Amino acid sequence: MKKNRPQTLKEKRRNFIIKWLLYLLVMAASFLFMTVTDIPMPLFHIPIAICIAIYEKSELTSAFIGLLCGLLTDVACGKLFGFNGFLLTVVCMFVSLLFLYVLRHNTVNYFIVDSATIVVFGLLDYLFFYAMWGNDINGRIFIFSILIPMLLTIAISPLMWFLFRIIHKYFGIKKEHFMAEQSEDIVRE
């Protein structure tokens, strides 16, 4: 495949299908990895949803992926079904609009947005499931059930960014830029 020629419709369709199959494969693999053990695990679906929301241009697609990843997180963590789904839907739509109109697609912006999202998710999880009911008297639940998965999730976030960056680079729709050439044969009167 030559680098300078535009993609054909067949290549665009093929890349679209491969890209979404890879997205779904990564989501399924992370879901299986989260459900295999009982030790504190990173919440893989938050960085996955944020990465897809950054690279996809449609807010509706980002919201749907946020809902899917949130529901997978709810099932994997044994939380109230729909809690993370609703939150991640709103966050992904916001992130999609933020990166579409305000922020540039770079690692620093991703890491700031992703870390803030993970911290907010961890604190809301602690507030609604433990602190509100007075279950965490000495802070052990916060440290072992909230803080450790939060830090692990922040630690794997750059890996997810580079994985989805590679997927988007090779299977995303290429932006085609055409430069208008000035013709010297034009006679102006």
Side-chain angles (χ1 to χ4, degrees), residues 126-158:
Y126 179 73
L127 175 71
F128 286 118
F129 291 107
Y130 302 107
M132 184 186 297
W133 307 106
N135 291 337
D136 192 22
I137 305 296
N138 56 2
R140 287 181 58 96
I141 293 176
F142 179 74
I143 292 171
F144 293 109
S145 296
I146 304 297
L147 190 62
I148 290 175
M150 225 174 13
L151 293 175
L152 289 173
T153 307
I154 290 172
I156 63 139
S157 292

Side-chain angles (χ1 to χ4, degrees), residues 161-180:
W161 169 257
F162 288 115
L163 174 69
F164 281 92
R165 188 173 172 186
I166 289 169
I167 291 172
H168 185 74
K169 180 181 177 183
Y170 289 109
F171 300 110
I173 295 176
K174 310 286 189 272
K175 291 181 183 177
E176 298 172 3
H177 298 286
F178 296 105
M179 185 185 282

Side-chain angles (χ1 to χ4, degrees), residues 57-73:
K57 301 296 183 215
S58 169
E59 301 84 25
L60 185 62
T61 305
S62 300
F64 177 73
I65 290 298
L67 178 66
L68 179 65
C69 287
L71 293 178
L72 287 173
T73 303

Side-chain angles (χ1 to χ4, degrees), residues 25 38 59 99:
L25 182 69
D38 289 335
E59 301 84 25
F99 275 87

Side-chain angles (χ1 to χ4, degrees), residues 81-126:
F81 190 72
F83 178 74
N84 288 321
F86 173 73
L87 291 176
L88 209 50
T89 301
V90 173
V91 166
C92 283
M93 187 178 300
F94 176 72
V95 166
S96 178
L97 290 171
L98 193 65
F99 275 87
L100 190 61
Y101 294 115
V102 179
L103 296 177
R104 296 184 63 129
H105 294 203
N106 61 29
T107 308
V108 175
N109 287 339
Y110 162 74
F111 194 70
I112 290 170
V113 168
D114 192 53
S115 299
T117 303
I118 292 167
V119 169
V120 167
F121 266 71
L123 293 177
L124 286 175
D125 187 26
Y126 179 73

Side-chain angles (χ1 to χ4, degrees), residues 22-83:
L22 287 172
Y23 285 170
L24 292 174
L25 182 69
V26 170
M27 282 190 272
S30 63
F31 177 75
L32 290 175
F33 192 66
M34 285 174 64
T35 56
V36 167
T37 63
D38 289 335
I39 61 173
M41 297 294 292
L43 302 173
F44 291 106
H45 292 109
I46 295 174
I48 289 172
I50 298 293
C51 285
I52 294 174
I54 288 172
Y55 282 118
E56 293 303 315
K57 301 296 183 215
S58 169
E59 301 84 25
L60 185 62
T61 305
S62 300
F64 177 73
I65 290 298
L67 178 66
L68 179 65
C69 287
L71 293 178
L72 287 173
T73 303
D74 289 334
V75 171
C77 295
K79 299 290 181 185
L80 179 66
F81 190 72
F83 178 74

